[in-house]
């Protein structure tokens, strides 16, 4: 069984400031890791994913995440946020062997303020 | 990227009636489709996984007779909420995945169901 923990339910940040959204996971097998963004009343859009290889993954909209196996973390970062980044962010894991079903964290609401 | 379309985007129905939600992959063949339910300010909970041409696999605690899933073609899956009640009101989201070991699932825009 897998689980995902997003400790921060809300993260307020000023525009142009850096931000880090934390994600920790637990799994007994190797996993794939994902970050999704959700705008109000919309589906999910993939920001980035880690499957294998380089532990630093770059995604869309200037986001990046680093896979840390020893700390079982996959934190999402952006060096300078914009108002339009205000949204809900979900970290997710999937088990490559188990049909790639996604298990989601509880989400982090990023609120960018002027 | 691939496009997944859900219809309708919102629906209001009376208690006791049934509602069908469609999920279509517009530009690829979806071997597997997933249905999620999301309560306000909460995460997505997987309801069921459907593979084209076979019966859906439901997650523990999900009533298969209440949430009927059909995946009759490689581009269409439907979720029917039967005898809907107010507690079924929620945001339902589908996702679709290609076959052949694809790692990424593409999400529809979601359907807001309100049962009155």
């Amino acid at each position: 069984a897998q689980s995902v923990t997003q400790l921060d339910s809300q993260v307020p940040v000023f525009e142009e400031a850096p931000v880090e959204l934390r994600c920790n996971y637990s799994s007994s097998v190797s996993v794939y890791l994902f970050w999704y963004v959700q705008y109000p009343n919309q589906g999910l859009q993939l920001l980035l994913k880690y499957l294998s290889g380089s532990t630093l993954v770059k995604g869309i909209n200037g986001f990046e995440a680093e896979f840390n196996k020893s700390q079982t973390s996959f934190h999402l970062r952006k060096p300078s946020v914009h108002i339009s980044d205000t949204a809900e962010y979900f970290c997710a894991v999937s088990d490559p062997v188990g049909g790639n079903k996604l298990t989601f964290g509880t989400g982090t609401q990023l609120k960018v303020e002027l | 990227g691939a496009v997944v379309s859900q219809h309708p985007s919102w629906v209001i129905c009376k208690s006791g009636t049934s509602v069908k939600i469609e999920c279509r992959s517009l530009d690829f063949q979806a071997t597997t489709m997933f249905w999620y339910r999301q309560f306000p300010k909460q995460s997505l909970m997987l309801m069921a996984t459907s593979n084209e041409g076979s019966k859906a696999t439901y997650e523990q605690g999900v009533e298969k007779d209440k949430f009927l899933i059909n995946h009759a073609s490689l581009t269409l899956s439907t979720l029917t909420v039967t005898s809907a009640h107010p507690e079924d009101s929620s945001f339902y989201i589908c996702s679709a995945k290609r076959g052949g070991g694809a790692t990424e699932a593409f999400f529809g825009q979601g359907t807001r169901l309100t049962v009155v």
Side-chain angles (χ1 to χ4, degrees):
Chain A
Q2 306 153 95
S3 66
V4 179
T5 301
Q6 291 181 249
L7 288 172
D8 306 306
S9 59
Q10 288 188 344
V11 173
V13 63
F14 288 109
E15 192 174 34
E16 297 184 5
V19 71
E20 179 179 82
L21 306 183
R22 297 182 293 170
C23 172
N24 288 87
Y25 70 94
S26 68
S27 176
S28 58
V29 299
S30 296
V31 295
Y32 295 152
L33 294 155
F34 305 82
W35 274 100
Y36 288 89
V37 60
Q38 184 182 33
Y39 298 99
N41 292 312
Q42 293 188 29
L44 276 67
Q45 181 182 9
L46 180 68
L47 282 176
L48 46 79
K49 61 183 177 182
Y50 171 79
L51 305 181
S52 65
S54 174
T55 57
L56 182 63
V57 180
K58 293 189 182 298
I60 63 171
N61 301 342
F63 284 94
E64 64 179 32
E66 185 157 18
F67 170 58
N68 187 317
K69 188 174 182 178
S70 63
Q71 297 186 4
T72 60
S73 68
F74 191 56
H75 301 332
L76 180 70
R77 293 190 287 261
K78 186 169 182 177
S80 176
V81 295
H82 189 266
I83 286 285
S84 59
D85 292 323
T86 295
E88 189 83 18
Y89 291 80
F90 291 97
C91 181
V93 301
S94 74
D95 172 7
V97 176
N100 284 322
K101 289 193 302 184
L102 287 168
T103 299
F104 287 89
T106 49
T108 297
Q109 175 68 41
L110 175 64
K111 186 173 182 181
V112 181
E113 303 167 348
L114 292 173
Chain B
V3 179
V4 175
S5 176
Q6 249 180 274
H7 179 81
S9 55
W10 61 270
V11 58
I12 301 173
C13 72
K14 290 185 176 180
S15 189
T17 62
S18 295
V19 174
K20 180 183 285 188
I21 302 170
E22 293 186 348
C23 179
R24 292 182 184 273
S25 56
L26 298 186
D27 52 3
F28 69 100
Q29 293 186 326
T31 304
T32 306
M33 287 187 171
F34 305 89
W35 286 95
Y36 297 85
R37 184 173 180 176
Q38 185 181 30
F39 291 102
K41 299 189 183 301
Q42 293 188 30
S43 188
L44 283 75
M45 300 301 295
L46 180 65
M47 299 173 66
T49 303
S50 72
N51 292 294
E52 185 266 338
S54 61
K55 289 185 178 180
T57 301
Y58 290 80
E59 296 298 302
Q60 193 171 10
V62 178
E63 298 176 63
K64 61 180 180 181
D65 293 331
K66 180 166 188 62
F67 299 100
L68 301 178
I69 292 172
N70 183 281
H71 191 167
S73 78
L74 285 171
T75 59
L76 174 65
S77 176
T78 60
L79 167 67
T80 301
V81 183
T82 63
S83 187
H85 288 96
E87 56 265 31
D88 298 324
S89 299
S90 191
F91 195 56
Y92 293 87
I93 306 176
C94 74
S95 70
K97 190 164 70 74
R98 293 184 178 96
T103 58
E104 181 178 349
F106 301 93
F107 285 79
Q109 67 270 44
T111 297
R112 172 75 58 194
L113 170 63
T114 302
V115 185
V116 298

